[in-house]
Amino acid sequence: MSKSQKARAQKCVSCGINIAGTSAASFKCPDCGAQIVRCAKCRKQSNLYECPDCGFRGP
């Protein structure tokens, strides 16, 4: 994982909060396979997210 990917992995892609030490979910983008991390609050509220690499959007 590159430094830019590690920096992105520390923040929720939906709201941007620091997710270190939280119950965040991490999964691969359905389109390009990039790592996506979301905080518990955004997951619970089904907030939209956008892949930082390819622009794929999902709930």
Side-chain angles (χ1 to χ4, degrees):
M1 190 182 286
S2 72
K3 284 185 180 185
S4 64
Q5 288 173 325
K6 285 181 184 179
R8 277 193 300 224
Q10 300 300 317
K11 295 187 183 272
C12 172
V13 296
S14 296
C15 67
I17 67 163
N18 186 347
I19 53 91
T22 66
S23 59
S26 176
F27 57 95
K28 292 186 180 199
C29 173
D31 271 1
C32 71
Q35 193 71 20
I36 295 175
V37 181
R38 298 181 73 207
C39 70
K41 183 178 178 182
C42 287
R43 286 190 344 258
K44 185 175 181 180
Q45 295 177 348
S46 298
N47 293 344
L48 294 178
Y49 67 88
E50 183 174 335
C51 176
D53 288 347
C54 71
F56 175 84
R57 291 182 181 206

